[in-house]
């Protein structure tokens, strides 16, 4: 393990900007939810009917978590914010560990580091130590921000510890995944599948199935801690024990395999490439798995949104403030239409994130040297870029189509109402705004490749305007900076063409 601390300092220095953005963004999430609930349900009397509605609604419990301690602001924040915060923390955790283990090994950087006098397990130990330090900082940040928002200090710190313990489980799991495969992408898929399974276990356990199912989910354990109620300390011990167990397994496997290999050898490709006769075909081959994963996520989310639409009216009856929020996000129409409009708006932002990430694959291909090899063939720069741009635009369209279909079908089946073609048009109306960010990403990449990630900053600004603009009473000139502001208030209004142009 010689050299662990040196490698840890190197990893922290290398990730100082990326990690800072992750930690600040995640730490702001629960405090934003707490502030929102403080406005929506300012006293205990207003929270009691809401808590009763949630307890009687298995769909809401499946989506967000068990109805525990909902008569307190801390309990509401835990119910609504713990699962989401843990999910983002899990993503940060496995990306962090995979970047400093499997990705470094795949690119050859680890081989160079091993030429220095460091121990065999030092890179893995440094990756896990970096993750531990990041989660410790995250726990403190969450505790301080929630305390500053007026929540009890003890409960706020426990909230942060619950999130950190969940993230450590996924960090250690990523360390195991990095030992199993030879390539980073399958390792990432293993971690993403584990996160989806954890969410599904928690949802089934909290909704109507046996509650013990959620005990097998790190997300469920974090919520069961009940930081602002009767604290269940054993959940922290279970999560930390699981993290230690996964970490131990990772070290055992790492000590028994060759550098550059995995527990499972990669299958050799076919002797002759098929259906790769164009740059578009290559872009499709590279991106199709990712698009499938996003589509599954949109289908599940859309089904949940549609299934809950019929119960929104009862929640709004208990809180006029919630009706105002839905109106601000989804337009001045009926409650269900405002809710669906707001949800499709959020789906549009996520589809824009898909378009940006797909488009920026161009930058990754160039910086890692694969584009240089490809462009040494008769393939031109323009067809190469257009192939990825086509996947980005068509992929965003497919995702919103999936969201519209799944939402419309779920809403129609659960309520006996709903107009599927109208809901499809509402979902598809978001695509044009999402395409703007794909075009911006291509413009930045073509002008200055190092500036291409600024497309993420533009999307973040648009998301802030879309989600918080009305609450912050931003001037209309600022609101107009987001392309999503110019979309019609669907599904209640007609479908004019001018805003799309």
């Amino acid at each position: 393990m010689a050299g662990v601390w040196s490698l840890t300092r190197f990893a922290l220095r290398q990730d100082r900007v990326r990690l800072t953005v992750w930690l600040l963004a995640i730490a702001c999430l629960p405090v934003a939810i707490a502030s929102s609930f403080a406005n929506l349900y300012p006293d205990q009397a207003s929270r009691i009917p809401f808590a009763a509605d949630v307890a009687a609604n298995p769909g809401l419990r499946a989506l967000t978590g068990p109805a525990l301690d909902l008569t307190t602001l801390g309990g509401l924040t835990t119910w609504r914010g713990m699962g989401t915060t843990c999910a983002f923390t899990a993503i940060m955790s496995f990306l962090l560990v995979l970047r400093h283990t499997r990705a470094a090994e795949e690119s050859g950087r680890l081989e160079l580091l091993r030429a220095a006098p460091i121990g065999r397990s030092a890179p893995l130990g440094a990756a896990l130590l970096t993750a531990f330090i990041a989660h410790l900082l995250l726990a403190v940040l969450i505790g301080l921000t929630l305390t500053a928002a007026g929540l009890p200090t003890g409960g706020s710190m426990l909230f942060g510890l619950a999130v950190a313990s969940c993230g450590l489980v996924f960090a250690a799991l990523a360390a195991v995944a990095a030992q199993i495969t030879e390539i980073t992408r399958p390792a990432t898929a293993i971690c993403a599948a584990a996160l989806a399974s954890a969410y599904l276990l928690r949802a089934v356990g909290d909704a109507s199935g046996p509650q013990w199912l959620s005990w097998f989910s790190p997300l469920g354990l974090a919520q069961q801690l009940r930081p602002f109620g009767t604290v269940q300390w054993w959940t922290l011990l279970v999560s930390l024990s699981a993290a230690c167990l996964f970490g131990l397994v990772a070290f055992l496997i790492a000590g028994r395999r060759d550098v550059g290999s995995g527990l499972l050898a990669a299958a050799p490709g076919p002797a002759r490439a098929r259906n790769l006769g164009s740059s578009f075909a290559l872009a499709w081959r590279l991106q199709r798995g990712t698009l499938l994963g996003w589509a599954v996520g949109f289908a599940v989310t859309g089904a949940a949104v549609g299934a809950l639409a019929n119960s929104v009216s009862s929640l709004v009856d208990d809180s006029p403030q919630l009706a105002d929020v839905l109106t601000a996000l989804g337009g001045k129409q009926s409650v269900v239409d405002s809710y669906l409009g707001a949800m499709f708006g959020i789906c549009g932002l996520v589809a824009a994130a898909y378009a940006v990430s797909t488009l920026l694959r161009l930058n990754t291909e160039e910086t890692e040297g694969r584009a240089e090899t490809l462009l040494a063939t008769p393939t031109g720069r323009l067809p190469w870029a257009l192939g990825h741009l086509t996947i980005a635009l068509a992929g965003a369209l497919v995702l919103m189509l999936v969201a519209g279909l799944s939402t419309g079908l779920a809403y129609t089946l659960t309520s006996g109402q709903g107009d599927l073609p109208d809901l499809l048009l509402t979902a598809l109306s978001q695509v044009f705004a999402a395409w703007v960010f794909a075009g911006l990403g291509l413009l930045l990449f073509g002008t200055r490749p190092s500036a291409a990630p600024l497309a993420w900053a533009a999307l973040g600004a648009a998301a802030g305007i879309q989600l918080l603009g009305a609450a912050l009473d931003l001037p209309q000139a600022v609101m107009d900076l987001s392309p999503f502001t110019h979309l019609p208030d669907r599904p209640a209004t007609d479908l004019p063409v001018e805003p799309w142009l």
Side-chain angles (χ1 to χ4, degrees):
M1 295 291 282
V4 169
W5 181 239
S6 299
L7 290 178
T8 302
R9 285 190 299 169
F10 175 68
L12 289 172
R13 180 179 176 78
Q14 193 178 18
D15 281 356
R16 60 188 184 279
V17 176
R18 182 186 287 117
L19 207 51
T20 301
V21 173
W22 268 108
L23 294 180
L24 290 178
I26 293 174
C28 287
L29 185 59
V31 75
I33 292 172
S35 301
S36 173
F37 272 119
N39 293 326
L40 292 173
Y41 303 99
D43 50 39
Q44 192 174 27
S46 62
R47 295 167 194 154
I48 290 176
F50 178 78
D53 286 337
V54 173
N57 192 322
L60 274 177
R61 296 201 305 273
L63 189 64
T64 53
L68 301 172
D69 314 312
L70 295 188
T71 56
T72 65
L73 181 57
L76 286 170
T77 305
T78 304
W79 169 73
R80 184 63 187 86
M82 182 68 83
T84 308
T85 309
C86 285
F88 280 112
T89 305
I91 295 171
M92 178 197 75
S93 304
F94 66 69
L95 290 180
L96 171 68
V97 172
L98 290 178
R99 185 164 53 252
H100 292 289
T101 51
R102 177 48 61 187
E105 200 166 326
E106 186 182 351
S107 65
R109 292 195 301 271
L110 206 56
E111 190 173 358
L112 291 175
L113 287 174
R114 282 178 180 275
I118 62 172
R120 181 181 179 87
S121 301
L124 177 59
L128 290 176
L129 183 56
T130 303
F132 179 79
I133 293 172
H135 287 88
L136 196 60
L137 289 173
L138 179 62
V140 174
L141 274 175
I142 289 176
L144 291 177
T145 52
L146 285 179
T147 302
L151 292 177
T153 303
S156 301
M157 290 299 175
L158 280 175
F159 190 107
L161 283 178
V163 172
S165 64
C166 177
L168 284 174
V169 173
F170 283 94
L173 180 65
V176 176
Q179 314 308 316
I180 293 176
T181 69
E182 293 183 1
I183 304 173
T184 308
R185 191 170 295 179
T188 306
I190 290 173
C191 296
L195 176 58
S197 302
Y199 183 88
L200 187 61
L201 278 174
R202 186 211 57 74
V204 173
D206 290 340
S208 57
Q211 194 177 16
W212 53 265
L213 278 177
S214 63
W215 300 346
F216 292 91
S217 164
L219 305 178
L221 287 172
Q223 288 186 317
Q224 292 289 344
L225 177 64
R226 303 179 64 179
F228 298 98
T230 305
V231 180
Q232 308 289 325
W233 290 99
W234 61 270
T235 59
L236 269 183
L237 294 177
V238 172
S239 295
L240 294 177
S241 300
C244 292
L245 180 62
F246 282 132
L248 180 61
V249 171
F251 277 112
L252 288 175
I253 299 175
R256 288 166 172 74
R257 67 174 180 85
D258 295 330
V259 176
S261 68
L263 201 60
L264 302 176
R272 300 190 117 197
R274 296 178 183 174
N275 302 322
L276 286 177
S278 66
S279 55
F280 172 77
L282 176 61
W284 169 246
R285 177 69 67 88
L286 292 173
Q287 305 272 11
R288 62 184 181 182
T290 306
L291 177 59
L292 177 62
W294 281 77
V296 171
F298 268 67
V300 174
T301 304
V305 167
L308 290 175
N310 201 36
S311 59
V312 169
S313 299
S314 62
L315 296 179
V316 171
D317 289 343
D318 299 331
S319 173
Q321 295 90 339
L322 181 57
D324 293 339
V325 171
L326 289 177
T327 300
L329 291 175
K332 297 176 181 177
Q333 34 201 313
S334 71
V335 171
V336 175
D337 285 347
S338 296
Y339 164 74
L340 292 174
M343 293 299 107
F344 282 137
I346 294 173
C347 287
L349 287 168
V350 181
Y354 164 79
V356 171
S357 68
T358 301
L359 205 285
L360 293 190
R361 182 69 184 265
L362 287 167
N363 195 34
T364 305
E365 294 290 303
E366 185 170 306
T367 54
E368 295 186 357
R370 292 189 290 272
E372 187 176 0
T373 305
L374 177 67
L375 295 177
T377 67
T379 303
R381 288 171 178 260
L382 191 57
W384 171 62
L386 285 177
H388 286 274
L389 178 64
T390 304
I391 299 297
L393 299 181
L397 179 66
V398 168
L399 292 180
M400 292 310 301
L401 186 64
V402 170
L405 271 175
S406 56
T407 302
L409 286 174
Y411 180 46
T412 303
L413 291 174
T414 54
S415 68
Q417 308 173 29
D419 186 344
L420 184 58
D422 201 44
L423 289 175
L424 267 180
L425 282 176
T426 304
L428 292 178
S429 68
Q430 303 290 329
V431 171
F432 298 92
W435 283 354
V436 171
F437 295 94
L440 177 63
L442 184 61
L443 175 65
L444 290 170
F445 173 73
T447 307
R448 190 185 178 98
S450 61
L454 288 177
W456 285 116
L459 178 58
I465 291 173
Q466 178 78 1
L467 300 175
L468 303 175
L472 298 176
D473 198 20
L474 294 178
Q476 189 59 41
V478 177
M479 299 291 289
D480 288 342
L481 292 176
S482 169
F484 289 94
T485 304
H486 303 280
L487 298 176
D489 288 338
R490 296 285 301 158
T493 60
D494 293 332
L495 203 60
V497 177
E498 293 82 1
W500 295 359
L501 298 178

